Amino acid sequence: MRTKLQPPEVRPSLLARPRVYEQLRNALHSRLVLINAPAGYGKTSLLVEWMEEGRKEWSHIGWLSLDTTDNDIRRLFAYLLEALTNIPLERRERLRALISAEVDLDAEQWFAEISNDLAEVAGPTVIIFDDYHLINDGQIHQAITFLVDHLPPRCRLIIATRSDPPLPLARWRARGHLAELRSFDLAFNPEEAATFLLEVMELPLSRDQIVTLLESTEGWPAGLHLAALALRSRPNQSEVVDELIASNRYVADYLIEDVFSRLPAHLQQFLLQTSILDQLCGPLCDAVIGVYEQSMPSKSNQSYSQLVLAEIECNNLFLFPLDAERVWYRYHHLFADVLRDRLEAGSSAEYVAMLHRRAGAWYAAHGMLTQAVNHALRAQAIDDVVAMLEPIGLAFISQVGEATLRRWLPEIPEAAFESHPRLALLRAWLATADYQVEDAAHWIAVAERALVEVASGAATPIGLIANLRGELSVVRVRLALLQGDTEQVIHEGKQALAWLQADNQALRMRVAKDLGYAYLDQRDLARAEQAFSEASSNGFNAGLPYISAMATVDYAYTLALRGSLGAAISACRDTINQMLRRNRSRTQPGIGLPFLALADLHGLRHEFAGALPALAEAESAIKSGQTTSYLNLLIVTARIARARGDTDGALRVIRQARFLARQRNVGWVLVVLDGLEAQMLIERGELDAAGQLLDNRVLDPVEFRYMPVAAFYAREHITRAGYEWRLASARATGNGEALRALAAELAQPLNGEIWQALVPLDAALLRGMALAAAGDNGSEAMLAALDFATSERIVAPFLQAGAPLRLLLAQLAVRQQLSPYGEYLLSLFDDDEVALVMPASTPAPAAALPDPLSQREIEVLRLMAEGRSNHEIAATLVIAVSTVKSHINSIFSKLGVASRTQAVARARRLRLIP
């Protein structure tokens, strides 16, 4: 036990690293500090060295070194209790009794008890879990999650690990509860490398030699240390480095030569042959080296290669396990690079290609098609690649994603597409995804010619001809969408559904979704909603959650086009919950899309407690290779930054999105970005610059007509921006006639495309502001806008209207015409300008309430205003959830309100909370 509860001793050659210590000290402002880096990055050394200084600030630091035997929750709790010696003995005995009890251990109750003890009697405390990657017990992970969520204010947790633990990191990150130090933080920078090599290791190296060593090891502390030890044993240290500086690989070569040359022949051969693999397991290695179980009898149930892998790991030969069962491994990348170089230098190209083909065949036989195709391409085995891709066709898009296919397909010779229609259709699909109309038409023509060859018998058919015809119609649907040919979309969509077999659910769902686009283009929102809703439901029924996710987002934004934010949010949440019930992975394909829509819709309500965690989940799931999704991610990030008042941050994201949209030629996004930036310039009073951006648009992108998210953003940032610019310009010049003309225009039903017609809320809001600016009575229009906003709890357009609206709402409040929701909106503005129009006799809180709130109720009210849930309030105040509910009911009664929103608004009006 003593060795588990005491940190290891500091090595004499350890380099002092004040830069990293300061990062750790700052990180301890968060509840959890995650130190995640591979072996040899000095995680443990960092913590041991920091503890000397840390004890000056933290009265107790509890250390626990974990190992695989700690995957027992009672055992882990017992060790943790022994580490927390600052808890009084009698309380520790009570906690120890809970661990020892025969009944099932309630982990949350145990941690709740220990949290209370730490809060009440212990001083500032840090708990350190070292080597947490060795923990794989789900119950322990759940218990640690509960601990972090309920840590007392003066307590922190540090986890040192080689991989991210299965904890809700995205949620904690969004709430500011998580700080992270990763390999790039722990890697030596040039100054540290120089100090270590010159002063600690006392090596006479030049600056260029130090840079060479640093770049070769990528700042890996253990690599530099091993290199330094090797160099110290050479009399001509400088010359040894200088001889091989040109290769920039000396460090890795030298280290591995020293190790590799001393290995027995069978291990050397094994290492070279398996160096082509990114990940290794016994059966895969058996296939690559050409050894099979029947030819290598063994008393063990393990394969020959599994035994060799165990031997290599035992000898610490740069092999790292990837799972607790030690089935899968990987080599250190430096080690693998040098092994591959030696393999290629000492073997023929045909031999290396044979190894890759063996690997590809094994992966294909085990259903791992991504890895199979990668190895086949490295072997330049094009026939193997075609044989893997052709039977699956467009369904491959759902399996591996568009980014992977963009990498694969250019490797295939052009001639192969002429006789394989499914390959040509994959190229056409990617072209439509990249908005390349001409390329899409070209590859569709290639697929049509190849299909004629198949139908005539000149080429070998793979699968049913009917499905091939259906897949061709599917891609034609997408091209017609890009061309804005709605009638063609509906015609080809019906053709596709007629040709595609019933078991081809993935494509049938995509067609249904594309038909929804066509109905939206025809301005038939009801049929579009129905199509998207059916596509989402049928996707789950067919076991295709990725398609359900895409359809749900289309459905949600179609609802948002009608102003139904609540229904749209519910649809996103339902889909996320269904996806997580089927697959607990939060990075599964497609899940980032409903998270992104959810963040966006919450942002319209200024519900940042919901928006920011959802945005963090989307950021972790959506990759830059997913062109449209990634651009939407940037747009939502900018929209939320703007809603939070971070205009500079929003503009930075807009610049990033504009660069990518130009690079990928996504025109509709460029138009939206111009409109969004113009709105922020209008808010700043830079009307000329805003007008120039709005005038940039020459043609209206076709996506605004059929793509729900594009239509929604076009209405938000182009149509509304145009009206906002006219309002601001007329107000700035005092042009009452223009303001009244604008108000009259907004009072009429707006015709045109869906994106060109404002929702009633926006029309009423802008009309009321135009009338008020002209000196007329805009109260009726403003009250109508508030009525529209109340049921959907919409906030963003009101706050973005700025000071003029703030004063208008304040005037309505003075005349006692403002609804409770209007009071809530007014409370979200700063008080300065509101105070100018409020009567001086505004009652003080004490006089306003016959039964004043208690101090505890005001604390609860402040946390409610921050958007905290009942559980979060209970954790912050260290009280029971039932007590929180009692306080909230009392607050409602004393304030005369029926909801949290009303309570916060009334409390701010009474100046009970800021």
Side-chain angles (χ1 to χ4, degrees):
M1 180 177 293
R2 187 178 299 111
T3 60
K4 294 182 70 66
L5 303 181
Q6 291 183 354
E9 293 184 5
V10 179
R11 296 196 313 270
S13 61
L14 190 65
L15 173 71
R17 307 185 67 191
R19 171 185 66 87
V20 187
Y21 304 152
E22 182 65 16
Q23 284 183 274
L24 177 56
R25 192 180 69 80
N26 292 333
L28 283 166
H29 292 298
S30 301
R31 294 183 184 182
L32 170 64
V33 178
L34 181 70
I35 305 178
N36 182 354
Y41 271 88
K43 301 182 292 295
T44 302
S45 300
L46 165 66
L47 291 171
V48 172
E49 186 72 11
W50 165 82
M51 285 176 66
E52 292 187 21
E53 288 295 320
R55 288 194 175 95
K56 298 177 183 178
E57 185 176 354
W58 301 89
S59 60
H60 182 78
I61 300 176
W63 179 283
L64 181 54
S65 296
L66 301 173
D67 56 49
T68 55
T69 63
D70 294 322
N71 282 289
D72 179 317
I73 196 163
R74 293 179 188 269
R75 179 187 180 95
L76 182 66
F77 281 8
Y79 282 134
L80 177 58
L81 191 56
E82 292 301 321
L84 296 174
T85 55
N86 54 336
I87 296 178
L89 181 61
E90 64 276 8
R91 296 186 181 229
R92 292 167 64 200
E93 289 297 334
R94 186 183 71 255
L95 291 167
R96 190 176 288 112
L98 290 174
I99 299 173
S100 303
E102 294 294 332
V103 297
D104 290 341
L105 177 62
D106 187 334
E108 292 190 359
Q109 178 192 354
W110 195 87
F111 267 136
E113 293 278 353
I114 206 168
S115 295
N116 287 334
D117 290 341
L118 288 170
E120 293 175 13
V121 299
T125 302
V126 175
I127 302 169
I128 298 175
F129 287 145
D130 194 24
D131 288 335
Y132 191 85
H133 54 274
L134 299 175
I135 300 300
N136 54 35
D137 184 272
Q139 189 180 8
I140 292 177
H141 296 316
Q142 291 176 5
I144 297 300
T145 299
F146 182 87
L147 173 63
V148 173
D149 285 336
H150 297 82
L151 271 178
R154 298 186 302 167
C155 189
R156 299 290 184 267
L157 176 64
I158 299 177
I159 290 179
T161 178
R162 294 182 186 177
S163 59
D164 276 346
L167 304 173
L169 302 181
R171 170 162 62 85
W172 292 335
R173 192 179 292 123
R175 294 180 179 176
H177 295 166
L178 171 66
E180 299 167 85
L181 275 71
R182 296 187 175 268
S183 55
F184 51 82
D185 298 305
L186 302 181
F188 278 3
N189 63 23
E191 293 76 15
E192 291 167 335
T195 301
F196 176 72
L197 293 169
L198 298 176
E199 298 180 13
V200 177
M201 302 305 293
E202 299 179 346
L203 293 171
L205 302 177
S206 68
R207 179 181 178 278
D208 288 342
Q209 291 167 336
I210 292 171
V211 170
T212 297
L213 290 172
L214 182 64
E215 291 180 352
S216 297
T217 57
E218 298 181 11
W220 178 38
L224 272 175
H225 188 217
L226 290 172
L229 290 175
L231 287 171
R232 289 175 76 177
S233 66
R234 293 295 186 95
N236 55 341
Q237 296 158 356
S238 295
E239 295 178 11
V240 170
V241 176
D242 291 338
E243 288 172 3
L244 292 168
I245 277 182
S247 71
N248 204 26
R249 290 289 306 280
Y250 169 68
V251 174
D253 287 348
Y254 182 83
L255 290 172
I256 295 172
E257 281 295 335
D258 263 11
V259 174
F260 187 81
S261 62
R262 300 175 184 177
L263 294 175
H266 76 283
L267 285 186
Q268 289 186 0
Q269 183 73 2
F270 181 90
L271 290 170
L272 292 173
Q273 291 174 316
T274 58
S275 66
I276 66 163
L277 302 171
D278 296 325
Q279 297 182 358
L280 308 91
C281 71
L284 170 59
C285 293
D286 281 346
V288 169
I289 67 176
V291 172
Y292 302 96
E293 293 182 10
Q294 60 267 29
S295 61
M296 291 292 297
S298 171
K299 296 179 181 179
S300 169
N301 291 327
Q302 293 181 309
S303 69
Y304 166 75
S305 294
Q306 199 72 39
L307 295 174
V308 175
L309 289 170
E311 181 182 358
I312 292 173
E313 184 187 12
C314 183
N315 289 325
N316 293 319
L317 296 178
F318 297 92
L319 182 73
F320 304 130
L322 298 176
D323 53 46
E325 292 77 21
R326 280 171 161 67
V327 174
W328 286 93
Y329 294 84
R330 71 166 178 85
Y331 295 127
H332 186 280
H333 69 92
L334 288 176
F335 191 41
D337 286 347
V338 174
L339 288 175
R340 280 192 289 269
D341 284 350
R342 290 179 62 86
L343 173 68
E344 292 170 4
S347 308
S348 66
E350 292 77 12
Y351 179 76
V352 176
M354 179 192 69
L355 296 177
H356 279 295
R357 292 193 71 173
R358 287 175 176 176
W362 187 91
Y363 276 121
H366 289 80
M368 303 179 187
L369 293 180
T370 300
Q371 297 90 334
V373 174
N374 282 334
H375 280 286
L377 287 173
R378 291 172 191 168
Q380 298 183 341
I382 302 305
D383 290 343
D384 291 357
V385 175
V386 171
M388 295 174 194
L389 294 179
E390 182 80 2
I392 301 174
L394 294 182
F396 231 120
I397 296 164
S398 299
Q399 294 186 23
V400 303
E402 294 173 358
T404 301
L405 286 171
R406 282 193 187 90
R407 197 170 64 248
W408 287 348
L409 294 180
E411 299 289 328
I412 300 175
E414 296 287 327
F417 294 96
E418 294 289 344
S419 56
H420 296 93
R422 278 204 169 106
L423 296 184
L425 288 175
L426 283 172
R427 291 294 293 265
W429 181 284
L430 293 182
T432 61
D434 289 336
Y435 302 91
Q436 303 293 334
V437 173
E438 292 183 3
D439 284 353
H442 165 74
W443 288 111
I444 286 175
V446 172
E448 289 169 343
R449 291 195 299 270
L451 185 56
V452 169
E453 294 285 311
V454 170
S456 66
T460 303
I462 297 182
L464 296 172
I465 296 293
N467 263 337
L468 283 172
R469 296 186 188 280
E471 290 173 27
L472 180 58
S473 289
V474 169
V475 182
R476 284 174 176 160
V477 165
R478 293 180 63 83
L479 177 59
L481 279 171
L482 290 182
Q483 294 170 329
D485 191 343
T486 304
E487 297 300 328
Q488 183 69 6
V489 170
I490 295 174
H491 170 73
E492 291 290 352
K494 291 178 178 178
Q495 286 280 84
L497 292 176
W499 283 113
L500 292 171
Q501 300 299 297
D503 61 351
N504 202 337
Q505 289 290 342
L507 292 182
R508 294 182 68 86
M509 295 308 103
R510 288 182 185 271
V511 171
K513 193 165 69 70
D514 289 342
L515 287 173
Y517 295 150
Y519 296 136
L520 187 67
D521 187 31
Q522 294 180 336
R523 301 175 227 168
D524 191 342
L525 283 174
R527 292 180 73 182
E529 285 176 16
Q530 181 181 2
F532 293 137
S533 179
E534 289 178 357
S536 177
S537 300
N538 292 338
F540 280 120
N541 295 337
L544 301 166
Y546 178 77
I547 296 178
S548 291
M550 294 191 297
T552 294
V553 171
D554 290 326
Y555 177 56
Y557 278 105
T558 304
L559 290 170
L561 284 167
R562 287 201 292 107
S564 300
L565 259 64
I569 288 173
S570 296
C572 293
R573 287 199 178 280
D574 289 345
T575 292
I576 290 168
N577 290 335
Q578 285 197 62
M579 293 182 76
L580 291 176
R581 278 197 298 270
R582 294 164 182 262
N583 181 348
R584 295 179 65 86
S585 171
R586 304 182 85 86
T587 57
Q588 59 181 288
I591 197 168
L593 302 177
F595 268 122
L596 183 61
L598 185 64
D600 197 16
L601 298 170
H602 273 306
L604 286 172
R605 291 177 163 181
H606 277 225
E607 295 172 343
F608 300 121
L612 295 177
L615 182 61
E617 296 282 4
E619 287 173 341
S620 65
I622 296 174
K623 308 304 178 186
S624 60
Q626 302 163 274
T627 300
T628 303
S629 299
Y630 191 73
L631 286 169
N632 283 339
L633 171 64
L634 295 176
I635 291 174
V636 173
T637 302
R639 280 165 55 85
I640 290 177
R642 178 195 180 200
R644 300 183 73 198
D646 183 10
T647 302
D648 291 338
L651 291 173
R652 281 195 301 272
V653 177
I654 287 172
R655 286 193 291 271
Q656 179 186 356
R658 186 177 280 125
F659 175 82
L660 181 61
R662 284 173 178 158
Q663 187 182 56
R664 303 280 176 89
N665 196 28
V666 187
W668 75 265
V669 170
L670 290 171
V671 176
V672 168
L673 294 172
D674 284 345
L676 176 55
E677 183 172 354
Q679 287 176 310
M680 287 186 280
L681 292 174
I682 292 169
E683 292 165 11
R684 289 179 168 183
E686 301 177 29
L687 299 182
D688 290 341
Q692 290 175 5
L693 282 173
L694 293 175
D695 289 340
N696 279 346
R697 189 172 88 258
V698 178
L699 297 174
D700 294 330
V702 68
E703 290 84 358
F704 291 167
R705 292 166 42 192
Y706 72 83
M707 187 185 296
V709 66
F712 180 76
Y713 290 150
R715 176 189 283 172
E716 288 267 306
H717 302 304
I718 298 169
T719 303
R720 194 167 77 195
Y723 286 111
E724 289 170 344
W725 185 85
R726 290 170 58 188
L727 172 62
S729 298
R731 184 195 292 126
T733 57
N735 191 337
E737 182 178 347
L739 289 166
R740 292 185 182 94
L742 176 60
E745 181 181 333
L746 288 165
Q748 303 300 319
L750 300 174
N751 298 318
E753 303 293 342
I754 287 175
W755 66 274
Q756 295 171 325
L758 295 177
V759 289
L761 184 157
D762 288 339
L765 174 61
L766 292 168
R767 182 169 179 266
M769 294 182 65
L771 289 171
D776 299 338
N777 186 359
S779 299
E780 182 180 349
M782 187 57 57
L783 292 173
L786 290 171
D787 286 342
F788 288 126
T790 300
S791 61
E792 297 295 337
R793 307 207 310 274
I794 298 173
V795 172
F798 292 92
L799 264 64
Q800 288 161 5
L805 177 66
R806 174 169 47 187
L807 296 177
L808 186 55
L809 291 176
Q811 291 165 358
L812 290 172
V814 171
R815 297 196 294 267
Q816 297 185 344
Q817 292 180 292
L818 202 57
S819 64
Y821 192 73
E823 289 187 357
Y824 168 66
L825 291 174
L826 183 58
S827 73
L828 298 178
F829 287 105
D830 295 332
D831 289 337
D832 297 342
E833 294 189 34
V834 177
L836 297 176
V837 296
M838 297 298 288
S841 58
T842 300
L849 291 176
D851 186 6
L853 299 182
S854 68
Q855 187 60 40
R856 179 62 92 181
E857 287 169 345
I858 290 176
E859 290 176 355
V860 172
L861 193 55
R862 285 197 183 102
L863 294 172
M864 288 167 55
E866 294 176 6
R868 305 286 188 92
S869 68
N870 289 353
H871 286 276
E872 290 171 331
I873 294 173
T876 301
L877 299 179
V878 196
I879 57 178
V881 174
S882 59
T883 305
V884 174
K885 292 178 180 177
S886 297
H887 285 314
I888 291 175
N889 289 333
S890 177
I891 292 168
F892 286 179
S893 175
K894 291 179 179 181
L895 295 180
V897 297
S899 71
R900 281 172 166 250
T901 299
Q902 293 174 352
V904 171
R906 181 149 174 74
R908 283 183 169 141
R909 297 286 297 115
L910 295 173
R911 304 178 187 274
L912 293 170
I913 58 175

